[in-house]
Amino acid sequence: MRVLGIETSCDDTSAAVVSDGRVLSNVVSSQAAVHRPFRGVVPELASRQHLARIGPVVERALSEAGRGRLDAVAYTRGPGLMGPLLVGKVAGQTLARLLGVRAVGVNHLEGHVLAAGLEHRLRWPLIALVVSGGHTELVLARAPGRYRVLGRTRDDAAGEAYDKVARLFGLGYPGGPEIDERAAKGDPGAVDFPRPSLEGSWDFSFSGLKTSVLYHLRDHPGPVRGKRLAGLCASFQEAVAETLVDKTVAAAKRFGAKDIVIGGGVAANSRLRALMGERARAAGFAVRLPSRLLCTDNAAMIAHVGALLLRGRRAPRAGRADPALALSSWA
Ligand code: KG4
Ligand code: ZN
């Protein structure tokens, strides 16, 4: 089955062609430069950028994939920003109608949960950690389409914490890659930031960690650059990675998972990838890490889920755009 995927939920305009689990093209046009001066995504600007970019991005994805008849068009119907979601939905449904093929609305979070399946053979049940600018969800997946959200963030998403702390450090937006790069040269033991654990719950919380970074800077004034900056970045990154990894591995043990997968922009983080690999292997689990392009927002994961939905027993509906769409099971 050959599916065109369209992803426009936030600030990446993406289109991809996936054929029987193989990624034939995955074009991502990032709007980061447009939103950078505002240090965050401006929804109205994002909608206009998607409108301007979606045509050329789809054309490129189709031409890179080469000849072949499409069987369906899958688009992200939520969660995300309403304007951007509508652009993808209208583009997807229009193309599907013109081509005379099915249109399928896909949950963006399900895309992140299953993205690893494009590169790895997944074994079920699995525990998925979805960490991005808008989400931090720990999910038990018994099979494709059978999910239970065990826990989520009670305040900031992991990526949001990265972006806000990067700002405190005087770094640019998005903050995740900026901190990741500097942390590589820093000592993770430089500052002992707290590991917020929320005992007895699968939820996460990052606001306390963010506040302790703020207090540390207040109590230790002076320029934040060079070795000091690298140490701060590495110490913050270590605290986030340990918090995420400990709970994920504990959930894998508790629910008898066979695999651990991670997805979302923060899953591109070097330390999170390394630490998850180490601790999961030590506990006897295999970690299926998607390549970085499949961690951040991309349309290949949407096409992949669209194809799975079409192969399922229940006929998927096109579905309206829903900014607050929850991750739910198919049946
Ligand atoms: O999944 P994504 O591309 O978009 C959303 O759905 O939010 O995630 C974007 C988030 C941003 O907060 C960004 O700072 C973070 O992912 N991010 C990273 C890294 N690359 C992107 N965080 C930590 N380390 C990275 N290497
Ligand atoms: Zn995302």
Side-chain angles (χ1 to χ4, degrees):
M1 188 183 306
R2 194 177 172 104
V3 179
L4 170 70
I6 292 179
E7 156 62 39
T8 60
S9 65
C10 190
D11 64 340
D12 289 306
T13 313
S14 179
V17 178
V18 172
S19 176
D20 298 322
R22 266 195 329 126
V23 180
L24 302 183
S25 63
N26 192 12
V27 179
V28 181
S29 172
S30 166
Q31 304 175 8
V34 174
H35 301 287
R36 193 163 288 130
F38 306 95
R39 294 181 173 269
V41 178
V42 183
E44 179 59 29
L45 282 181
S47 306
R48 292 187 210 176
Q49 288 292 322
H50 284 305
L51 263 181
R53 293 174 192 223
I54 190 69
V57 164
V58 166
E59 268 177 22
R60 221 180 102 202
L62 290 174
S63 90
E64 279 181 16
R67 282 174 180 276
R69 200 191 128 72
L70 289 173
D71 297 296
V73 180
Y75 60 89
T76 302
R77 76 177 188 93
L81 300 168
M82 190 48 146
L85 287 170
L86 284 172
V87 175
K89 182 197 124 149
V90 170
Q93 291 191 342
T94 307
L95 266 170
R97 186 158 290 196
L98 287 171
L99 296 167
V101 299
R102 302 278 298 275
V104 197
V106 168
N107 185 310
H108 181 83
L109 292 174
E110 191 170 9
H112 281 309
V113 170
L114 298 180
L118 283 166
E119 293 171 329
H120 304 276
R121 232 188 127 79
L122 303 180
R123 295 172 311 162
W124 314 84
L126 58 79
I127 290 287
L129 174 72
V130 179
V131 270
S132 70
H135 298 277
T136 305
E137 323 250 343
L138 191 60
V139 180
L140 167 65
R142 297 205 177 278
R146 288 189 62 201
Y147 311 108
R148 193 172 130 204
V149 178
L150 301 173
R152 51 169 61 92
T153 183
R154 293 193 185 166
D155 36 61
D156 290 344
E160 202 179 347
Y162 260 98
D163 295 337
K164 288 179 177 168
V165 166
R167 190 171 184 176
L168 295 177
F169 292 163
L171 298 172
Y173 174 88
E178 299 269 335
I179 290 184
D180 198 355
E181 193 190 320
R182 279 154 188 92
K185 294 171 221 124
D187 170 14
V191 184
D192 189 18
F193 288 128
R195 274 67 171 150
S197 73
L198 299 180
E199 274 320 313
S201 158
W202 297 111
D203 283 347
F204 299 95
S205 164
F206 293 102
S207 66
L209 172 59
K210 192 183 62 190
T211 308
S212 74
V213 173
L214 188 70
Y215 286 173
H216 178 88
L217 294 176
R218 186 195 63 188
D219 298 341
H220 303 80
V224 180
R225 55 175 124 88
K227 197 161 164 243
R228 179 174 182 216
L229 174 60
L232 282 166
C233 288
S235 303
F236 167 75
Q237 179 156 288
E238 197 66 18
V240 175
E242 275 201 347
T243 306
L244 294 171
V245 167
D246 283 353
K247 209 152 258 185
T248 306
V249 174
K253 282 187 195 156
R254 165 71 182 74
F255 294 97
K258 295 217 171 69
D259 281 347
I260 291 175
V261 306
I262 59 177
V266 182
N269 183 261
S270 333
R271 186 58 189 145
L272 177 62
R273 296 169 80 87
L275 194 66
M276 190 71 89
E278 271 167 40
R279 300 235 170 127
R281 262 190 302 278
F285 301 104
V287 181
R288 310 296 177 193
L289 293 176
S291 56
R292 284 182 166 78
L293 181 63
L294 289 178
C295 287
T296 47
D297 287 350
N298 69 89
M301 67 183 192
I302 302 303
H304 179 50
V305 175
L308 291 175
L309 282 164
L310 285 165
R311 266 191 247 123
R313 267 180 294 139
R314 272 171 43 147
R317 286 174 304 133
R320 63 188 167 78
D322 180 354
L325 188 65
L327 183 67
S328 58
S329 299
W330 300 349

